[in-house]
Amino acid sequence: MLSNRTWCINNKLDLNIKKCAAISFSRSHTNTSTDYKLVNNKVTKSKDIRDLGIIMSHKFTFTKHTDTIIQQSHKMLGLITRSCSDFSNPHTLIHLYYSLFQPILEYGSVIWSPYTEFVINRIEKVQRKMCKTLAYRYAQPSHGCSPIEICRYF
């Protein structure tokens, strides 16, 4: 059997050992003490790992990931509301919502799937906050939009 170093050389693959980590998924309460080596260097162990932007824990839960995306979406909501305070057309902010805000919440949702009521409520709370912000700003007769019409987009 080829060593991983030979395999990397044969396939012209350069590995950055600092970016590599080992994680063990288990239901067991005792942790395994297996040391992994990659190109003669010990690979660090991690309890959480980020792969393609999705954070998984060693228990295969996504709580850290949901915390991160909710925090990112709150930041994006603040950026949108601060930067667009002079906008007079509500449809512009709705387009910003769909292009900047919604992708944060929906990226990889097939994998991390918010199935608990607690997580679903936290995500919907951020969406309701965006809806309330738009309704507060634009649900006035001068803009010609009702709160129901604005919230219909979400």
Side-chain angles (χ1 to χ4, degrees):
M1 193 157 117
L2 293 174
S3 71
N4 54 22
R5 181 182 174 104
T6 308
W7 186 89
C8 289
I9 292 169
N10 289 343
N11 291 297
K12 296 179 176 68
L13 180 68
D14 293 328
L15 295 177
N16 187 349
I17 304 300
K18 294 176 186 173
K19 291 184 178 182
C20 295
I23 186 167
S24 297
F25 297 105
S26 174
R27 292 184 183 178
S28 170
H29 293 290
T30 60
N31 54 355
T32 57
S33 61
T34 307
D35 291 331
Y36 297 101
K37 287 191 174 186
L38 191 60
V39 193
N40 296 329
N41 291 322
K42 188 176 176 183
V43 178
T44 59
K45 292 181 183 177
S46 177
K47 290 193 180 242
D48 298 319
I49 195 161
R50 179 182 216 123
D51 189 24
L52 297 174
I54 297 174
I55 304 169
M56 294 176 277
S57 74
H58 67 286
K59 293 185 179 181
F60 211 68
T61 60
F62 299 96
T63 53
K64 193 169 185 181
H65 178 72
T66 54
D67 291 342
T68 303
I69 63 161
I70 288 170
Q71 182 183 23
Q72 287 176 345
S73 57
H74 275 291
K75 287 180 182 179
M76 187 56 66
L77 175 62
L79 175 75
I80 290 172
T81 54
R82 282 190 313 273
S83 301
C84 306
S85 60
D86 296 333
F87 289 10
S88 60
N89 187 354
H91 297 289
T92 306
L93 286 180
I94 291 168
H95 287 295
L96 286 173
Y97 168 81
Y98 283 124
S99 61
L100 299 175
F101 187 82
Q102 193 175 20
I104 294 171
L105 296 175
E106 290 187 358
Y107 177 75
S109 62
V110 173
I111 297 168
W112 58 269
S113 183
Y115 59 92
T116 62
E117 191 173 330
F118 176 72
V119 175
I120 292 170
N121 288 337
R122 288 183 66 202
I123 292 171
E124 287 179 352
K125 183 179 178 183
V126 180
Q127 290 174 320
R128 281 191 302 271
K129 190 172 181 180
M130 179 70 172
C131 183
K132 285 179 184 178
T133 302
L134 285 172
Y136 175 75
R137 289 172 122 189
Y138 297 110
Q140 300 164 2
S142 62
H143 293 289
C145 293
S146 68
I148 294 169
E149 183 181 341
I150 289 174
C151 291
R152 165 182 75 152
Y153 289 102
F154 305 98

